[in-house]
Amino acid sequence: MKILGYCCILILFLCSFTQSEKRLPYKDPTLPVEERVKDLLNRMTVEEKFWQIYMMPGDLDLGKEKFSHGIFGFQVSTVGADNPELKQLLQYNPTLTARETVKKINEIQRFFVEKTRLGIPIIAFDEALHGLVRGGATAFPQAIALAASFDTTLMKKVSHAIAMETKTRGIRQILSPVVNLATDVRWGRVEETYGEDPYLSACMGVNFVKSFEELGVITTPKHFVANSGDGGRDSNPIHFTERYLEETHFVPFKACFMEGGSQSVMTAYNMLDGTPCTANPWLLIDKLRGEWGFDGFVVTDWGGCNSQTAGIKAGSNLEMPGTIGDSDRELMASLKAGKITEGEIDLRVDQLLDVILATHEATAGGKRNFDQEAHHAVARQAAAQTAVLLKNEGDLLPLAPNARVAVIGDMALEPRYQGAGSSLVNPTKLDKPLDCLKESGLDVVGHAQGYLRNGKEDAGLQQAAVQLAGQAD
């Protein structure tokens, strides 16, 4: 079925200005972006500059009065978990359709463009690791599975599909991909990566980000850098030499920027040689911008900003999530105390405004439709090509046609094909293994649950599974 009526609801007002507004250089799309940014920056108050260095989950439902100075970006219809210890695991609204999402983003944009003093549009952002984390999206195989295909052409097909589903909803930035190296299988985020090989991770990462950047959607490779330490400990302090980083962990990031065109990067929680990555001038200024020529923007991981003052001085642009006032007060105090200059703040805001103005114009037109069934077919193709057979004892596979098969396991009905948090996709369509086996020509003699997902043993379930297995070949 073609999805298209709603996709033509464009954010046209971003390029629609009154005659009086056209006289303002920063609102004139015919002028070079650099000239427009300089004009806009000169018109901004300190408070308005502060608010451009925050992005957060939520939207205007939090209260329009809180955002009179503007904000860089929203992850719309998203809230943190009720449990403060799990606040990083965001709750996305799975019931919001694509039509409703783009309508809501349009309304938010209209407020910022028409009702705030300077009319600076926002960047709507989201997660899209192996599919957009929104209702009605397509779930593709996880990153580690896509890497197992060793097929960059397949990756390009998958990423293009995700990019189309992202752009049609008015979303302008994704906090993906994860190009960290999975150097220890005990690390809990291995499935989000492209594996342990720097070259393979670079190839997959580049082909992922290109699809988005070609459509004007900003990509954010993460987590910069090396956020898995000894023993697979997440965000453990890292002590690596520069040569080792250049030969391993830097490789996929550098490729995403230089070959894929990624306009953003997310810093890691961990320290690198005693300095937090979020406020590491060697990493963010000397290496990223100086040696590699990166001209995009840097965003912290969720709650990863220890000090906005230190981050800005060290090359970071955006704090996530915004604190709705707390960081403003910290920056104002630092400004008054001489710990930071307005020129340093201007530099970080300038780098953001460059992207804001260019991104909204790049995404104002173009194809606005996609075929859900076609994307589901790509997902099935990817699932088939990414399957890895570890062993085949007794040449059990392939099964003979019409073989009698007993299906045992809870996941035959409710498959686990993804993780949680930023990799949780709510798919439009989900193929269940049991249904697929029945359609394959095999003689399915029945299904038994066999076990409990919580790991507890159940003698009754086990006995039923054994009895069913006795009916199979």
Side-chain angles (χ1 to χ4, degrees):
M1 144 181 159
K2 297 278 183 184
I3 304 281
L4 284 82
Y6 69 82
C7 295
C8 293
I9 306 176
L10 307 180
I11 311 176
L12 293 177
F13 55 81
L14 292 174
C15 298
S16 307
F17 302 103
T18 64
Q19 290 300 315
S20 61
E21 286 176 324
K22 282 186 177 179
R23 297 192 189 104
L24 299 176
Y26 78 90
K27 289 191 175 183
D28 185 353
T30 65
L31 294 177
V33 170
E34 295 80 5
E35 184 177 336
R36 296 170 63 198
V37 168
K38 182 179 180 180
D39 176 70
L40 176 55
L41 195 60
N42 288 334
R43 298 174 187 273
M44 296 174 73
T45 65
V46 173
E47 289 79 7
E48 287 167 334
K49 294 173 184 177
F50 288 168
W51 278 87
Q52 282 303 312
I53 53 180
Y54 307 125
M55 57 195 298
M56 61 183 294
D59 45 57
L60 294 178
D61 293 345
L62 297 170
K64 293 181 179 179
E65 70 283 355
K66 296 179 180 178
F67 303 102
S68 60
H69 292 305
I71 193 170
F72 176 84
F74 278 137
Q75 189 173 24
V76 300
S77 299
T78 305
V79 296
D82 295 331
N83 184 342
E85 296 181 356
L86 300 175
K87 62 182 180 180
Q88 188 181 4
L89 295 179
L90 301 179
Q91 299 173 3
Y92 307 98
N93 185 348
T95 63
L96 206 64
T97 66
R99 178 194 292 269
E100 291 166 341
T101 301
V102 74
K103 180 180 179 182
K104 186 162 191 172
I105 290 175
N106 279 350
E107 291 171 351
I108 293 169
Q109 292 286 21
R110 187 171 292 110
F111 168 80
F112 283 102
V113 171
E114 298 179 358
K115 302 300 181 182
T116 59
R117 189 179 76 87
L118 293 173
I120 304 173
I122 69 156
I123 297 286
F125 68 95
D126 229 320
E127 301 277 3
L129 184 64
H130 66 113
L132 185 67
V133 290
R134 291 292 156 185
T138 305
F140 295 89
Q142 259 288 14
I144 193 68
L146 291 168
S149 73
F150 292 86
D151 188 339
T152 54
T153 301
L154 176 65
M155 168 59 86
K156 199 70 166 59
K157 289 179 66 175
V158 168
S159 58
H160 178 75
I162 303 173
M164 285 300 302
E165 296 186 12
T166 301
K167 182 176 179 178
T168 55
R169 289 165 169 81
I171 296 165
R172 297 295 175 255
Q173 180 188 4
I174 58 162
L175 306 182
S176 308
V178 175
V179 291
N180 295 120
L181 301 183
T183 55
D184 193 314
V185 295
R186 292 170 292 184
W187 182 35
R189 302 187 71 168
V190 167
E191 66 183 27
E192 299 179 35
T193 75
Y194 299 124
E196 65 182 351
D197 185 78
Y199 180 71
L200 177 61
S201 296
C203 291
M204 290 296 173
V206 166
N207 280 278
F208 182 91
V209 302
K210 270 187 175 180
S211 294
F212 290 87
E213 297 288 351
E214 288 168 355
L215 291 177
V217 178
I218 301 165
T219 53
T220 312
K222 59 185 183 183
H223 309 80
F224 193 55
V225 61
N227 67 331
S228 174
D230 293 341
R233 295 179 179 88
D234 187 71
S235 305
N236 214 44
I238 298 297
H239 304 281
F240 292 151
T241 66
E242 181 175 0
R243 175 179 174 178
Y244 179 74
L245 287 169
E246 287 283 5
E247 293 177 350
T248 56
H249 296 276
F250 279 162
V251 172
F253 283 99
K254 192 174 181 179
C256 284
F257 306 140
M258 293 186 169
E259 299 174 40
S262 289
Q263 300 178 73
S264 177
V265 63
M266 182 186 292
T267 49
Y269 287 124
N270 54 279
M271 290 192 295
L272 178 63
D273 288 332
T275 303
C277 292
T278 310
N280 193 315
W282 175 80
L283 184 67
L284 303 181
I285 296 178
D286 298 347
K287 183 63 64 175
L288 181 64
R289 296 190 186 277
E291 290 188 28
W292 299 352
F294 178 75
D295 61 356
F297 62 90
V298 178
V299 56
T300 71
D301 202 345
W302 179 274
C305 180
N306 300 310
S307 166
Q308 184 72 318
T309 300
I312 288 175
K313 291 179 74 68
S316 182
N317 298 90
L318 278 166
E319 178 183 3
M320 181 180 69
T323 55
I324 312 186
D326 290 347
S327 292
D328 288 17
R329 288 185 283 273
E330 178 209 328
L331 281 174
M332 186 62 77
S334 295
L335 192 61
K336 291 179 179 179
K339 295 179 180 179
I340 193 170
T341 67
E342 189 166 355
E344 289 173 310
I345 296 171
D346 285 354
L347 177 58
R348 302 299 167 231
V349 176
D350 183 306
Q351 292 161 345
L352 292 170
L353 294 176
D354 280 342
V355 178
I356 290 173
L357 297 182
T359 298
H360 280 283
E361 279 153 22
T363 54
K367 188 178 179 181
R368 287 284 174 162
N369 62 329
F370 64 90
D371 187 329
Q372 282 186 337
E373 289 299 327
H375 285 187
H376 185 71
V378 174
R380 291 194 65 154
Q381 176 193 358
Q385 292 183 219
T386 57
V388 177
L389 182 63
L390 298 180
K391 61 182 179 179
N392 189 18
E393 293 181 352
D395 294 326
L396 178 64
L397 297 177
L399 295 173
N402 302 315
R404 291 184 302 169
V405 175
V407 182
I408 300 172
D410 182 39
M411 294 187 187
L413 292 177
E414 296 182 19
R416 185 184 187 277
Y417 54 93
Q418 59 184 345
S422 58
S423 67
L424 180 62
V425 182
N426 297 286
T428 303
K429 185 176 181 180
L430 179 62
D431 291 332
K432 297 180 180 180
L434 181 59
D435 294 336
C436 293
L437 287 169
K438 290 179 178 178
E439 296 169 2
S440 68
L442 297 171
D443 180 7
V444 178
V445 298
H447 169 258
Q449 181 176 339
Y451 58 85
L452 297 173
R453 287 204 184 196
N454 61 16
K456 294 182 179 180
E457 292 190 4
D458 186 302
L461 293 178
Q462 293 176 355
Q463 183 178 3
V466 170
Q467 290 177 349
L468 180 64
Q471 303 175 35
D473 291 339

